[in-house]
Amino acid sequence: MSYEQVEHYRKSNIQPIDVIVDWNLDFCLGNAIKYLGRAGKKKSASQQDDLRKALWYLVFEITKSTSVADNIVTAVSDIGSVTTPSQ
């Protein structure tokens, strides 16, 4: 399947894969770009989920530690649930 066939990638003139290749990004930074680019556009994932995934890859790129990335994303998620007003 081509990425052009996937709806959440057809909503933009610039595709994440084109940015990743043009900027010569590695796996982690490429995934961060992918998740930032599709945040809020993919039906099966919320914007917050994709932003957390992007954050995880950025933290991992900085620390090279899955446990640090997991802990930071969990902490950010916890903060979000405390600071978000209830509806």
Side-chain angles (χ1 to χ4, degrees):
M1 174 188 321
S2 163
Y3 71 87
E4 293 146 343
Q5 296 171 326
V6 182
E7 183 179 341
H8 56 271
Y9 290 125
R10 285 185 290 168
K11 294 182 178 184
S12 176
N13 293 330
I14 302 168
Q15 301 300 316
I17 195 165
D18 296 329
V19 172
I20 292 163
V21 169
D22 188 61
W23 293 358
N24 196 33
L25 299 177
D26 67 10
F27 180 80
C28 289
L29 295 179
N31 271 334
I33 291 292
K34 174 184 76 171
Y35 286 117
L36 289 170
R38 81 174 201 191
K41 297 175 186 159
K42 187 174 182 187
K43 291 179 184 177
S44 64
S46 73
Q47 182 179 29
Q48 294 298 314
D49 288 340
D50 281 340
L51 293 175
R52 283 186 196 99
K53 290 174 185 177
L55 175 62
W56 190 94
Y57 280 104
L58 291 172
V59 172
F60 181 82
E61 181 67 21
I62 293 166
T63 65
K64 301 300 184 199
S65 169
T66 58
S67 62
V68 171
D70 289 343
N71 290 336
I72 288 177
V73 170
T74 299
V76 168
S77 296
D78 291 345
I79 290 169
S81 65
V82 171
T83 60
T84 303
S86 59
Q87 298 179 3

